[in-house]
Amino acid sequence: KYTDPTNVGDDVYYYYVNYDNLMQEKGNKGLISPQSLGIFPIVKTNENKGYWVDQNNALRVSTYYGPGSAKLTVSSSVTAQVEGAISGTAGAIEASMGFSMSKGFSLSDEYSVNVPKGERWVISAFPRYEKHRLGVYDPYPFGDIFLGYVMVSKPVGVAFRVDKQ
């Protein structure tokens, strides 16, 4: 899936993300939340806020010494993350996002590189997320009341970092 870059550069962090294999789901914006079922509060807006890499929770870290080939393979199950707590929103969030919040997402990928003679490289793999901002409301017949935002991060891929030491 990955090839050795021709010019890696100095002792710097590099991220390698396989964009071709990422499932970049945008959330089910057509189904905001099941208001007719009496689930309160409701989600009325679902905004895609881009992607981020969780550098605090490595999926795998390996050290390689040159000269030689280095290959890091990752296969892990990662759950979605939620920031912001509004009581009673779990059903509405799941309906808006189109998945169960307790569901684990399978992330698997690999990265290969040639390590030069006399060098020590540490390769790390991190989960990559797609972040959504959901607007939560309390429904009323004459106008819904805004309760706040909930941020939901859905696992969508793996990012690799090469640390040359």
Side-chain angles (χ1 to χ4, degrees), residues 72-143:
L72 183 65
T73 302
V74 177
S75 182
S76 186
S77 179
V78 179
T79 57
Q81 297 183 8
V82 180
E83 301 169 40
I86 298 175
S87 179
T89 58
I93 290 171
E94 290 178 348
S96 179
M97 293 300 296
F99 61 85
S100 170
M101 296 306 293
S102 60
K103 172 188 173 187
F105 290 86
S106 178
L107 301 181
S108 59
D109 216 331
E110 65 183 33
Y111 173 70
S112 298
V113 66
N114 288 321
V115 180
K117 182 179 179 180
E119 293 193 19
R120 174 180 173 252
W121 288 13
V122 178
I123 303 175
S124 306
F126 301 94
R128 183 174 187 262
Y129 293 88
E130 181 179 76
K131 192 168 199 170
H132 292 258
R133 183 171 78 166
L134 308 180
V136 180
Y137 291 77
D138 204 356
Y140 281 94
F142 302 106

Side-chain angles (χ1 to χ4, degrees), residues 56-67:
N56 295 320
N57 293 298
L59 299 172
R60 186 166 177 200
V61 178
S62 294
T63 303
Y64 301 92
Y65 297 90

Side-chain angles (χ1 to χ4, degrees), residues 5-99:
T6 55
N7 182 12
V8 177
D10 296 326
D11 297 333
V12 183
Y13 291 145
Y14 291 87
Y15 282 100
Y16 299 85
V17 181
N18 190 342
Y19 292 97
D20 294 336
N21 291 341
L22 292 181
M23 288 183 47
Q24 300 183 359
E25 297 179 22
K26 304 303 179 191
N28 188 351
K29 295 182 181 51
L31 176 62
I32 297 301
S33 70
Q35 293 131 327
S36 61
L37 300 178
I39 295 177
F40 301 103
I42 62 172
V43 172
K44 289 181 68 174
T45 61
N46 182 335
E47 304 168 69
N48 185 334
K49 304 305 269 184
Y51 300 93
W52 66 282
V53 174
D54 185 357
Q55 297 181 54
N56 295 320
N57 293 298
L59 299 172
R60 186 166 177 200
V61 178
S62 294
T63 303
Y64 301 92
Y65 297 90
S69 177
K71 181 177 180 180
L72 183 65
T73 302
V74 177
S75 182
S76 186
S77 179
V78 179
T79 57
Q81 297 183 8
V82 180
E83 301 169 40
I86 298 175
S87 179
T89 58
I93 290 171
E94 290 178 348
S96 179
M97 293 300 296
F99 61 85

